[in-house]
Structure formats: structure tokens, C-alpha cells
Amino acid sequence: MTRRKVLQLGVAGVAGMALYSGELARHELEVVQLTVKLANLPDAFHGFRIAQISDLHFHEYTETFFLRSVLRRVNALRPDAVLLTGDFISNARDRTYPIAQAHVCGDILKMLECPIRYGVLGNHDSAMGETEIHHALVSNGTPILLNKSVPIERGGSRIWVGGLRDTLASYPEPEQAIPSKIRNPKEPVLLMIHEPDYIDELMKYPSSQSVGLVLSGHSHGGQVRLPFLPPLKAVLPPGGKKYIEGLFRVGNTQLYVNRGIGTTEVPFRLNCPPEITVLTLEQG
């Protein structure tokens, strides 16, 4: 085989891999089913199902058709609640574009049929304008929790869903998000934090003792992962280098890191499919 032929095959291989990771793997949506046991979970919430989606990054590389496909899949799963863990849009030099896209994204999110849904903002959202992105989503029917918790009631019992402001581009305040008046051991708190590595800081606050489960995104699971190798730390974002994907036990709580729907920097995924997580709560 000639040197020229080898080069041609190499170029074809690279082109094929780029096509696969950019057009096929990037859209190969995976539904991850997970059971999470929570101490002191009220009987009424045994079997409560939460769908988590994260890192939509609309409309940088996440097309309208793909986001609609994701939401149809969520609706088909018929969850009891939907939680969205940030980065609805992506950074841009001109802030007017991502803010406009946040309104479009918010309008598309109206497709969600589940009446119980909450979100938090990510670092891209907050960097482009926390106030503006918050308004774009809330005005279209997606409540965003900024250092705040709200109750979910069922069968005369309740749990709490809280959300922190972004930990890289804003000011998270756990004691404000989980004030002492709601810290009831019989009413566990589910807390959304966009950047998963912040959980180590969270553990320093008294309010963390009330948190049974933290839901995060941000890392994209590494996004492009070479076969048989762990994610490259150099390409992981700040705040997402330690807890990269999946379920972790951290102190007295649990952390789940979702791989996200969209991509950033490059429109590629490899060995790291986009993810909808369905978490079923059980007593334990």
C-alpha cells in the first residue's frame, strides 16, 4: 500500500468519525432509569418519578427538531415531575442572540405535559444575563429557582425541590435556598445545582443535612470520550472535573450528574450519548 493510499484512508477515517459523532452519536438519545433510596421519604412519594434533562444549549448546536424529540420522549415517560438543571442556551459575543434563543427555547418547553416542572440556570445562562434568561423561561411557563425551594405535596405529605444560583457566574446561597424553617427530617430536599463539584462546598453548610439528593449537569459526561479511556480532565469544564457522570454518594447525600442533551465548543459526541434520566424515589 502506497503512502498516498494510507493518507487517503486516514483522511476518510477522520471524516467518517466526524460525521458519526456530529450527526449520529450527537442525536442517539439514551434514557437512563435509576432508583434512588431516600431516608425519611414520605409514603406518598414512594415510587415518585422524576425526569431530569440538562444542558440543552439551544440553539448553538441543539436543533429545534432534536429538542422537540427529547420533549416528546419525556412526555412518553409520563414522569411525576420534570427538573431541568441549567444551560438552556450558550455563550455568544452578542448577548442579544442567546437571550432571543432563550425565549424560543422557553416556548418549545411548553411541550412538556408534566405540570410539575422546575429548573435552575447554568453558567452560560447566568453569564449571558441571569435576569433576562430567567424572564424568558418563567414567562413561558418554566419556573426557575434562584436560591429558592418550593414544596411538592402529595397525599397529605410533601418534599421540597430547591435550586441554587449558578456557582460559576452568579452567587449560590444554600442557607437562603434551604432556610431553617423548612428543614424537617420527614420532608427531604431535592436540590438542583448546575455544577456538580460544588457539592463539596455545599457539605460545609448546615442546610446540606436536609438534602437527600442533588441533581447536576454541566460536565456533559466528557462529551467526546476515546474508547477505553476516562474523560480527559483538560477538556472538562471548571466545576465539572471531579464528579463527571452518574450517581455518587457524598457525605450524607447523593449526587446524580446528567450528561446533558446538547454540546458546546464543538458539535460532537463520542461514547457519551445525550441523556434523559428517570429517577424513581424509594424509601431507604
Side-chain angles (χ1 to χ4, degrees):
M1 185 175 292
T2 65
R3 180 171 178 272
R4 181 176 182 180
K5 185 66 173 178
V6 170
L7 289 174
Q8 289 175 338
L9 290 173
V11 170
V14 170
M17 183 62 70
L19 178 64
Y20 170 74
S21 60
E23 295 301 322
L24 298 178
R26 187 165 62 84
H27 297 121
E28 290 179 338
L29 185 63
E30 180 180 2
V31 176
V32 176
Q33 303 271 0
L34 188 69
T35 297
V36 176
K37 294 184 180 296
L38 296 180
N40 301 316
L41 183 73
D43 291 343
F45 286 91
H46 183 76
F48 191 83
R49 298 169 68 249
I50 298 168
Q52 180 197 6
I53 53 177
S54 193
D55 296 271
L56 306 183
H57 287 286
F58 186 88
H59 186 267
E60 183 180 36
Y61 299 121
T62 300
E63 310 93 337
T64 298
F65 82 84
F66 186 47
L67 179 54
R68 290 184 180 277
S69 174
V70 170
L71 299 182
R72 284 193 292 269
R73 191 75 173 272
V74 171
N75 289 339
L77 293 166
R78 301 186 66 81
D80 298 298
V82 177
L83 300 182
L84 303 100
T85 44
D87 275 357
F88 294 87
I89 52 86
S90 291
N91 288 342
R93 291 183 180 179
D94 181 358
R95 291 174 65 244
T96 59
Y97 178 77
I99 290 171
Q101 293 306 306
H103 282 277
V104 178
C105 181
D107 185 60
I108 296 173
L109 288 172
K110 290 178 181 177
M111 285 180 59
L112 287 171
E113 296 171 355
C114 181
I116 301 175
R117 57 180 180 270
Y118 296 99
V120 292
L121 299 185
N123 57 304
H124 286 253
D125 306 318
S126 295
M128 291 294 96
E130 183 181 77
T131 300
E132 293 90 342
I133 303 299
H134 177 267
H135 172 72
L137 297 165
V138 171
S139 64
N140 280 290
T142 298
I144 300 297
L145 303 178
L146 301 177
N147 292 338
K148 182 180 180 181
S149 292
V150 294
I152 297 178
E153 298 186 355
R154 193 182 206 192
S157 301
R158 67 183 178 183
I159 60 175
W160 294 82
V161 173
L164 291 187
R165 278 187 153 96
D166 184 72
T167 68
L168 295 179
S170 190
Y171 304 97
E173 297 184 54
E175 299 299 281
Q176 180 179 327
I178 313 168
S180 58
K181 65 181 180 180
I182 74 168
R183 296 177 202 169
N184 184 335
K186 295 182 180 179
E187 297 177 353
V189 177
L190 313 181
L191 187 64
M192 293 181 285
I193 307 173
H194 181 65
E195 290 90 3
D197 291 358
Y198 184 80
I199 194 170
D200 291 338
E201 181 68 20
L202 175 71
M203 293 295 102
K204 301 175 184 178
Y205 290 87
S207 58
S208 69
Q209 299 303 308
S210 300
V211 179
L213 176 65
V214 173
L215 298 179
S216 296
H218 183 59
S219 69
H220 296 206
Q223 189 169 305
V224 175
R225 300 180 59 164
L226 299 177
F228 312 113
L229 293 176
L232 299 175
K233 292 290 182 74
V235 301
L236 290 167
K241 293 181 180 293
K242 181 177 180 180
Y243 304 103
I244 300 171
E245 67 166 324
L247 185 66
F248 302 87
R249 168 69 67 172
V250 184
N252 294 321
T253 191
Q254 297 172 84
L255 165 70
Y256 189 80
V257 185
N258 180 292
R259 292 190 301 266
I261 296 300
T263 64
T264 189
E265 303 297 338
V266 292
F268 299 135
R269 276 189 179 268
L270 185 64
N271 294 324
C272 190
E275 172 182 354
I276 297 170
T277 315
V278 179
L279 303 109
T280 301
L281 305 184
E282 291 188 357
Q283 297 160 325

